[in-house]
Amino acid sequence: MILKPDVLQIAYDFSLKKKERKTKTIYLSPSGDKLNYDKLIEINKYKNVIIICGKYEGIDSRFIQHNDIEEVSVGDYVLSGGEIASFILIDACVRLIPEVLGNKNSLNSESFQNHLIEHPHYTKPQDWLGMKVPDVLLNGDHKKISDWRLRESIEKTKKIRPDLYKIYKRKIKEE
């Protein structure tokens, strides 16, 4: 099943009539640029975002070409439709809106910020099944805690996501 271009164009033109010119249109597709933090920042700069969701085989390519629509992929896998992908895109964008998380500083230490995976997290009890919360997190020295979190983020990223670690190292050298 492929969505027809003439039907899509009628719906698209109707939706644009109600929007200002600062509108970003995205078609969620496995052949698009991969969604990442930088792409989310770019998308959030727009006042209006139109998300086009295909179904099964997608939409007629002529519609994308005619309207110069950007294709975005949420990952290297295929879904039966773009609806679930749109939820991912919306949720990731909404989290970046100031004050949505309640604390504007919450985003500063999350995964992918500065191209690092977030450090490990711990809660009570301090000793669970013989595994203990690192002592540095219990001493109240915020500078040491911050340093530990950065070191752990770097090591975790190096081990789990060497691709991100390379970007992180390059950015550090540029600064």
Side-chain angles (χ1 to χ4, degrees), residues 69-112:
I69 294 171
E70 181 178 1
E71 294 184 65
V72 174
S73 171
V74 295
D76 293 340
Y77 47 87
V78 177
L79 301 168
S80 59
E83 301 85 359
I84 294 172
S86 72
F87 297 151
I88 293 168
L89 175 65
I90 293 166
D91 184 67
C93 282
V94 166
R95 297 181 86 258
L96 297 178
I97 297 171
E99 306 302 323
V100 165
L101 297 180
N103 179 348
K104 62 183 174 188
N105 296 320
S106 295
L107 293 173
N108 294 337
S109 62
E110 288 197 327
S111 289
F112 307 110

Side-chain angles (χ1 to χ4, degrees), residues 2 5 11 36 38 43 47-48 51 57 76 84 99-100 103 106 115 126 129 131 135 140 156 167 172:
I2 299 172
N36 60 28
D38 292 336
I43 293 168
K47 181 173 172 111
N48 301 295
I51 302 170
E57 290 299 316
D76 293 340
I84 294 172
E99 306 302 323
V100 165
N103 179 348
S106 295
H115 306 285
Q126 290 180 17
L129 300 176
M131 296 180 283
D135 289 336
K156 188 174 181 180
I167 296 169
I172 292 296

Side-chain angles (χ1 to χ4, degrees), residues 18-70:
K18 297 184 174 201
K19 306 286 185 237
E20 297 174 17
R21 290 318 296 151
K22 192 167 186 198
T23 298
K24 176 78 168 175
T25 304
I26 295 170
Y27 169 51
L28 295 163
S29 161
S31 61
D33 292 333
K34 208 180 265 188
L35 184 62
N36 60 28
Y37 186 78
D38 292 336
K39 179 64 69 183
L40 292 169
I41 296 295
E42 175 194 326
I43 293 168
N44 268 15
K45 290 178 182 174
Y46 288 86
K47 181 173 172 111
N48 301 295
V49 178
I50 296 173
I51 302 170
I52 299 172
C53 302
K55 193 67 178 167
Y56 302 117
E57 290 299 316
I59 66 177
D60 190 302
S61 295
R62 295 171 293 178
F63 173 78
I64 299 167
Q65 184 180 2
H66 173 73
N67 293 289
D68 195 29
I69 294 171
E70 181 178 1

